[in-house]
Amino acid sequence: MFQQLDLYPGLRKTLEDLGLDTATDVQAATVTAALEGKDLLVGARTGTGKTLAYLVPTIHALASDTLPRHPGTLALILAPTRELARQVARQAEQLTSRTPLNTLLLTGGEPFKIQVAELRKAPEIVVATPGRLLELMEKQAVDLSVLRVLVVDEADRVLEMGFGQDIETIAGAANPERQTLLLSATLGRTGMGALEKTLLRDPLRIDLSAEQAQTIRHCVMLADDRSHKNEELVWLLRNQPFRRALVFANTRENAERLFTLARAQNLEAGVLHGEKSHDARKAIMERFSHGRMNILIASDVAARGLDIPDVELVINVDLPRRGDDYTHRVGRTGRMGREGVAISLVEPGEWNRMIDIQRYLKLTFERMEVEALLGKFRGPKQTRKSGKTVGKKKREKAVEKPGAKRKTPARKSSAKKPAKRKQSPITGEETLRKKR
């Protein structure tokens, strides 16, 4: 597709050298509309090529114009996390290598004075996180008065992280005649409508967010409890083929616990969560990206914006709280047409949430079983039409005959409770079961 477009020659040559000729669905739907100068609201799942979808038309438009010597910031790309901003900046630098355009990355964790000095050089493209950009704006170091293109990437994550008001403040200081592109993995996020009304003018809406990758195999393994999940996780990391694997936990504490478990099993793993320093996060990501370790255990907060090639396996040890979170997690695999596997470990208390996620995303999870790891929980005994578990009271009503008296519940047995299993000296959890 890109070779058929009348793009800036240097940009077209770079795309050709990178082998980027065939466009993804979101690129095919977005690039032409963006080249026409329209405001866009784009919904497409993670890993479908949204970054290229907005960089190509933006770079073409700026490189094709006759620009004054020091025009100031002409394109501003806002990303919710440092990792995503860094990845976007790298791709922008690559695509502008044969153009007169310069790219500057502005994130926290980097020297403030150096960033101010770089801004004085008037780079045409700025990629930034909202917090650091606002700090620089307060120091009068950023001029957005001649801005031509504003891009907000991963808008749903921007809202989730509480940057909605910051984005509106930044947009309010920018050239009102600019083109604005709002991109998100999901468009149903609370606050998205308000952001759309504030930022966009008569936008074209492109919604591919409901489309799930045909290259991802969605699986579920049932577990009795957390200790059982430990066993399943270790088995999967030792037996499931993968080049790189991402393991997700819902909390920092659980991510650390799983990291300790993995290291105790001599697995090459690292851990990312919100308490990690900027330097520590950077070092871990470099090790993972360069293959010095092949397993990354992360919380949702830490994994936002990650764009790592060759992730072939995603394991949800903790089931995500919402369908949108599931989309973001599993979107780390099966990217750009490659195959991937997403496996969710589900214990009884998570069954109904699993059903909600399936219905919301219009998915059907494939049941995955390992004979040596089969437990007692094989699914709820009774379910509603929706597939959800029937509550205790409804189960009692279902077995009662009309007019029959309710039986008095039997007294609890006075027999001794079975002794607790030994605690693992490594994780504080029950030791891994050898047999089931």
Side-chain angles (χ1 to χ4, degrees):
M1 169 193 171
F2 295 119
Q3 297 307 314
Q4 279 90 46
L5 295 173
D6 186 20
L7 296 175
Y8 182 80
L11 175 59
R12 189 192 303 121
K13 176 63 175 170
T14 299
L15 290 168
E16 184 181 337
D17 290 350
L18 294 172
L20 298 172
D21 183 35
T22 304
T24 64
D25 289 345
V26 68
Q27 291 163 3
T30 302
V31 172
T32 303
L35 286 171
E36 293 172 357
K38 297 176 181 177
D39 281 8
L40 302 180
L41 176 63
V42 181
R45 68 175 190 84
T46 304
T48 53
K50 291 195 298 293
T51 305
L52 205 66
Y54 63 74
L55 281 179
V56 167
T58 298
I59 292 169
H60 166 77
L62 300 185
S64 299
D65 283 351
T66 303
L67 305 174
R69 183 174 176 78
H70 294 291
T73 302
L74 298 180
L76 173 61
I77 301 166
L78 296 172
T81 66
R82 298 172 184 176
E83 286 77 16
L84 179 59
R86 200 174 293 121
Q87 290 156 14
V88 171
R90 278 199 298 267
Q91 198 161 1
E93 287 171 353
Q94 193 176 36
L95 293 174
T96 56
S97 60
R98 291 188 177 95
T99 75
L101 306 176
N102 295 298
T103 301
L104 176 62
L105 173 65
L106 301 174
T107 68
E110 302 296 338
F112 195 85
K113 289 183 179 179
I114 293 177
Q115 291 180 340
V116 172
E118 290 296 321
L119 279 165
R120 291 196 186 108
K121 298 177 184 178
E124 291 81 11
I125 300 173
V126 170
V127 182
T129 50
R132 176 48 61 97
L133 187 69
L134 278 176
E135 290 175 352
L136 289 161
M137 288 172 65
E138 289 170 2
K139 299 294 183 182
Q140 306 297 314
V142 181
D143 180 10
L144 302 178
S145 62
V146 294
L147 192 74
R148 299 189 184 186
V149 181
L150 171 63
V151 178
V152 181
D153 201 355
E154 289 207 1
D156 52 349
R157 289 302 193 194
V158 166
L159 291 168
E160 184 179 336
M161 296 175 72
F163 292 136
Q165 186 59 54
D166 293 347
I167 297 294
E168 292 181 12
T169 301
I170 293 167
N175 174 18
E177 299 303 313
R178 69 185 185 272
Q179 178 187 23
T180 304
L181 311 179
L182 200 62
L183 300 102
S184 179
T186 56
L187 295 181
R189 184 79 188 175
T190 302
M192 189 68 72
L195 198 62
E196 177 187 350
K197 288 179 181 178
T198 303
L199 268 60
L200 305 179
R201 297 174 299 171
D202 191 23
L204 174 65
R205 186 183 179 98
I206 299 169
D207 189 4
L208 306 175
S209 58
E211 295 183 7
Q212 294 298 318
Q214 301 302 311
T215 54
I216 300 177
R217 180 183 167 203
H218 301 271
C219 302
V220 61
M221 288 184 74
L222 300 183
D224 293 340
D225 48 35
R226 192 160 74 172
S227 179
H228 192 186
K229 283 187 176 184
N230 288 350
E231 297 178 63
E232 293 176 331
L233 174 63
V234 172
W235 188 94
L236 288 169
L237 292 177
R238 282 184 173 159
N239 295 278
Q240 189 74 17
F242 63 87
R243 184 170 178 181
R244 291 189 181 93
L246 272 173
V247 178
F248 282 101
N250 285 348
T251 65
R252 172 179 60 82
E253 292 79 11
N254 211 21
E256 282 286 357
R257 183 184 67 80
L258 295 172
F259 170 65
T260 303
L261 173 66
R263 293 302 299 270
Q265 298 295 318
N266 297 315
L267 296 167
E268 290 294 327
V271 62
L272 272 186
H273 51 66
E275 297 298 315
K276 291 284 183 182
S277 68
H278 172 66
D279 290 341
R281 288 169 64 90
K282 194 173 179 180
I284 291 167
M285 287 309 303
E286 284 180 358
R287 286 181 61 208
F288 189 56
S289 298
H290 291 95
R292 291 194 290 275
M293 67 181 186
N294 64 346
I295 301 166
L296 181 62
I297 299 166
S299 64
D300 285 307
V301 172
R304 287 168 185 155
L306 296 184
D307 185 11
I308 306 157
D310 303 319
V311 172
E312 297 172 334
L313 176 64
V314 171
I315 302 175
N316 294 312
V317 175
D318 293 330
L319 196 67
R321 296 183 178 94
R322 299 179 300 113
D324 291 347
D325 292 330
Y326 182 88
T327 297
H328 276 280
R329 286 185 183 185
V330 304
R332 309 303 166 192
T333 189
R335 298 171 80 93
M336 304 302 288
R338 298 186 182 92
E339 293 186 355
V341 179
I343 304 173
S344 299
L345 311 184
V346 176
E347 57 186 270
E350 297 173 312
W351 178 272
N352 285 353
R353 203 187 324 156
M354 179 196 75
I355 297 298
D356 285 337
I357 290 171
Q358 286 188 115
R359 292 178 65 190
Y360 178 71
L361 298 176
K362 297 179 175 63
L363 288 174
T364 300
F365 292 154
E366 176 186 337
R367 185 77 66 87
M368 184 175 179
E369 294 183 343
V370 177
E371 189 173 350
L373 293 174
L374 291 177
K376 294 178 181 177
F377 180 57
R378 310 300 298 278
K381 293 179 180 178
Q382 289 184 325
T383 60
R384 299 186 180 96
K385 289 182 180 179
S386 64
K388 289 188 174 183
T389 305
V390 174
K392 186 177 178 182
K393 289 183 178 179
K394 288 199 172 184
R395 284 200 305 270
E396 288 175 354
K397 287 180 181 179
V399 298
E400 283 178 7
K401 292 180 180 179
K405 293 182 180 180
R406 291 189 68 165
K407 293 183 180 180
T408 305
R411 292 184 179 180
K412 291 183 179 178
S413 172
S414 60
K416 279 189 175 182
K417 291 182 179 179
K420 289 184 177 179
R421 297 179 187 172
K422 288 183 179 180
Q423 296 290 309
S424 165
I426 297 166
T427 65
E429 295 297 317
E430 294 182 48
T431 53
L432 297 177
R433 304 179 182 118
K434 292 181 181 177
K435 291 183 180 178
R436 280 201 167 263

